[in-house]
């Protein structure tokens, strides 16, 4: 003890005590902190955030601000959640090509891994809806009929009966839902991208969303049968009228010309 | 007659079976005289004279398929829960009308095909009537003695529109229910009587339980019944007046050049019926129409974008879509001009074309019969009016489909609406002027062809080096077609003072008539056709011109 007490006024004593205290707190934290697995995830997550931040700085920051705080050219991304990023970047809408009434869908610029990193970074800016799991949007166990009813109540007034899309004011539009990944449809409902209102879980429960996604898969999917023949775009009476005029009446007039041309002409003497 | 027949049979043994049957029928129905006057009836040959036949046959097809559909359709608004063949609709509440339409589509043998034939034939029927009407209009076939038949045809078109609309409403799907809601709004927009009329027609608040059964009766009984009567009258008048014909050698206002009804036209018309049926069936077999299973049952709280009526009502839809939503409040009563004005313009536009024959005959003071058709260029004012009317009509069709124009051409729906608002007024005027100028240009060309012949494309070099194109003189037949038309002088107002020095005052309507007549037939609106002297002078061989 004498040796210790003799050196207690040593210039480095404070440092040693500090190190000791840190080691103890650290040790105690290590002992009582949550499970190892979570810790491992955290590392991966922080790595993703770090990578995402780099991608963000290159591709997004010019409009959305260096910290996602937004600017005159783009909204704030604080609290939009990973689902919004996965939708906007995953469908190619972001990064936007040019400003306009609405940013259209195009070939994605980032691959899924990069999108996930961006999503992780934006999610770290503030809490928001997470990317849905496959079980949330897969049609297994969903009620297609109920989904149709919900779709006609909540979605059809902009997206048409079976999601063929429609016009909004001043050049804005509700895009067609044909060939859209079920995950992206789910995310769009969750986050309300661009001109679409968001249907949070309080408005449409996750069960309801699953039903809607299943309904769209049934009536507007790749293997949807059209029992009546060509669906003419599924746009209703306008395309039917056009088809009737051009191919219906057009064919009949052609037949009439043919019949009238084929006649017994009076012989010229 | 029968005594005579028995006398001949006694002489030569029994007559053939067919003759005996015909005799039997003639004694009771008088078919000999009927057949004698009609079997050899002559009809001229031209494809555009068959447009009416397209309408007639598609109407017959609609009736045949419609009868089949009534066997399976339940016009009831009682609610049921669906548990049928179409899985994505399971567990949905719907009316029996919608359920039975689904059953017709998925469970009745041939049901979907018959439904689609019925609907496609209806669209083609209306389109055919429209084009048929335009043929009659632009060739002046509506002139005396055919004005009444023109009105019959017009009524058939209007009744066809409403028969189509009631039929479109019957399946009670989300699209047609929205259309019925539209009609309810139209009825409510009528001042004073609107709300009472709405309660009367719907039997209570919208949608109630009565509208589908009522539309059903109107669709399958009332309107088709009237139409059938009008159609028969239309055909009887065609027979009675005899068919018009295009000008040509040997064709006069007093004859009809063509082929007899029997056997030529019976065979042609009968064959054409099957061709029409065939074409419509092929279309119905390959192209879907009104897929009610994708549209879903009607519920007043639901609506879809792209909710348009069938094309023949698209004109009314356009009027309502582009009309600003003006509303006035009169001592607690709302007058909804946003709907009222369109539903006043809608019949006005239709009536404008219906009364045109009477206006034209009054303006031109034309009381004579016309059986030779006009070439549209030779009636520039009429042709201009017809094209102006079509422009107004089709501009409104654009207005009715403004959302699809917006999405398909990447335009702003607001700009389309403004375009339609302006073009509805400006477009017809421009179309009228342009059409008239084109007609006059074609008249000049005709004159040129008569006087100088057809450009043959053969270039000749003359000895002194000049190049000329050889013009081929037209044949007598061609000359006849280009010069047979009349060019009536415009009506003149009678002199203000007659020969006895008594002042004669023209009434206001006489003055208006003289002015309009000048617009029809005045010297600025017609190119004088070449006279015989002009023709002789030029064709007497002074070389090329």
């Amino acid at each position: 003890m004498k040796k210790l007490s003799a050196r207690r006024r040593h210039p480095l004593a404070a440092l040693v005590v500090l190190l000791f205290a840190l080691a103890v707190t650290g040790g105690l934290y290590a002992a009582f902190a949550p499970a190892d697995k979570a810790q491992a995830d955290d590392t991966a997550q922080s790595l993703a955030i770090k990578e995402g931040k780099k991608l963000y700085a290159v591709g997004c920051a010019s409009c959305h601000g260096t910290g996602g705080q937004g600017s005159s050219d783009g909204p704030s991304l604080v609290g939009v959640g990973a689902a919004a990023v996965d939708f906007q970047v995953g469908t190619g809408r972001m990064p936007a090509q040019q400003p306009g009434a609405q940013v259209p869908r195009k070939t994605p610029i980032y691959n899924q891994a990069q999108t996930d990193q961006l999503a992780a970074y934006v999610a770290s800016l503030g809490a928001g809806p997470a990317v849905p799991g496959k079980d949330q949007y897969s049609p297994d166990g969903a009620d297609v009929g109920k989904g149709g009813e919900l779709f006609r109540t909540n979605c059809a007034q902009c997206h048409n009966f079976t999601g063929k899309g429609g016009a909004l004011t001043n050049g804005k539009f509700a895009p067609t839902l044909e060939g859209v990944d079920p995950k992206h449809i789910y995310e769009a409902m969750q986050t309300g991208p661009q001109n679409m209102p968001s249907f949070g879980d309080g408005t449409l429960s996750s069960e309801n969303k699953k039903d809607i996604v299943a309904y769209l898969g049934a009536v507007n999917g790749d293997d949807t049968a059209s029992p009546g023949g060509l669906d003419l775009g599924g746009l209703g009476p306008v395309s039917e009228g056009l088809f009737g005029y051009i191919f219906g009446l057009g064919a009949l007039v052609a037949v009439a010309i043919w019949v009238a041309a084929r006649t017994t002409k009076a012989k010229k003497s | 007659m029968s005594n005579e027949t028995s006398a001949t049979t006694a002489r030569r043994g029994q007559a053939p079976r067919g003759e005996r049957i015909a005799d039997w029928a003639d004694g009771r129905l008088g078919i000999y005289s009927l057949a004698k006057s009609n079997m050899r009836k002559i009809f001229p040959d031209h494809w555009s004279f068959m447009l009416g036949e397209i309408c007639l046959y598609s109407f017959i097809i609609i009736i045949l398929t419609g009868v089949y559909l009534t066997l399976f359709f339940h016009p009831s608004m009682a609610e049921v829960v669906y548990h049928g063949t179409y899985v994505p609709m399971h567990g949905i509440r719907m009316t029996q009308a919608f359920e039975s339409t689904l059953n017709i589509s998925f469970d009745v043998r041939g049901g979907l095909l018959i439904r689609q034939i019925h609907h496609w034939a209806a669209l083609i029927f209306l389109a055919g009537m429209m084009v048929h009407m335009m043929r009659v209009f632009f060739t002046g076939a509506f002139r005396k003695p055919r004005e009444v038949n023109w009105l019959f045809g017009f009524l058939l078109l209007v009744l066809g529109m409403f028969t189509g609309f009631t039929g479109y409403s019957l399946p009670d799907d989300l699209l047609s229910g929205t259309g019925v809601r539209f009609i309810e709004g139209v009825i409510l927009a009528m001042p004073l009587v609107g709300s009472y009329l709405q309660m009367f027609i719907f039997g209570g608040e919208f949608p109630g339980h009565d509208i589908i059964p009522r539309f059903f009766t109107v669709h399958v009984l009332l309107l088709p019944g009237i139409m059938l009567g009008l159609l028969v009258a239309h055909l009887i008048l065609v027979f009675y007046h005899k068919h018009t014909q295009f000008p040509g050698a040997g064709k006069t206002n007093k004859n009809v050049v063509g082929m007899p009804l029997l056997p030529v036209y019976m065979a042609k018309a009968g064959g054409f019926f099957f061709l029409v049926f065939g074409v419509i069936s092929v279309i119905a077999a390959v192209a879907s129409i009104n897929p009610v299973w994708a549209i879903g049952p009607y519920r007043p709280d639901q609506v879809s974008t792209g909710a348009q009526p069938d094309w023949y009502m698209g004109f009314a839809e356009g009027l309502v879509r582009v009309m600003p939503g003006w509303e006035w409040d009169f001592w607690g009563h709302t007058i909804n001009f946003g709907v009222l004005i369109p539903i006043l313009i809608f019949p006005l536009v239709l009536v404008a074309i219906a009364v045109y024959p009477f206006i034209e005959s009054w303006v031109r003071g034309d009381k004579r019969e016309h059986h030779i058709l006009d070439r549209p260029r030779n009636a520039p004012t009429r042709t201009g009016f017809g094209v102006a009317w079509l422009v107004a009509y089709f501009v409104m069709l654009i207005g009715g489909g403004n959302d699809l124009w917006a999405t398909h051409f990447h335009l702003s729906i607001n700009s389309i609406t403004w375009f339609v608002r302006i073009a509805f007024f400006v477009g017809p005027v421009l179309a009228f002027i342009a059409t008239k100028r084109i007609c006059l240009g074609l008249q000049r060309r005709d004159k040129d062809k008569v006087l100088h012949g057809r450009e043959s494309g053969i270039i000749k070099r003359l000895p002194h080096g000049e190049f000329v194109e050889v013009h081929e003189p037209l044949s007598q037949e061609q000359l006849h077609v280009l010069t047979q038309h009349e060019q009536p002088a415009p009506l003149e107002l009678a002199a203000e003072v007659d020969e006895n020095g008594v002042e004669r005052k023209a009434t206001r309507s006489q003055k208006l008539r003289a002015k309009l007549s000048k617009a029809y037939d005045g010297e600025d609106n017609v190119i004088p056709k070449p006279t015989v002297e002009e023709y002789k002078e030029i064709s007497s061989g002074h070389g090329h011109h």
Side-chain angles (χ1 to χ4, degrees), chain A residues 57-148:
Chain A
V58 174
C60 320
S62 56
C63 296
H64 291 289
T66 44
Q69 77 276 24
S71 76
S72 57
D73 295 327
S76 160
L77 298 183
V78 177
V80 300
V85 178
D86 192 59
F87 174 83
Q88 300 278 6
V89 178
T91 59
R93 286 180 169 81
M94 288 291 149
Q97 212 160 30
Q98 59 191 31
Q102 193 167 320
V103 180
R105 188 179 164 196
K106 60 180 184 289
T107 319
I109 288 175
Y110 297 105
N111 61 29
Q112 190 58 51
Q114 292 168 319
T115 309
D116 291 344
Q117 289 166 351
L118 274 171
Y121 170 66
V122 172
S124 75
L125 300 174
V131 175
K134 195 161 171 54
D135 54 318
Q136 283 176 280
Y137 55 78
S138 82
D140 306 327
D143 184 345
V144 174
K146 174 95 174 146

Side-chain angles (χ1 to χ4, degrees), chain B residues 35-43 259-264:
Chain B
K36 198 178 165 190
S37 61
N38 290 317
M39 263 165 49
R40 302 296 295 170
K41 191 102 185 166
I42 299 293
F43 280 93
M259 294 288 165
L261 182 66
L262 259 173
V264 178

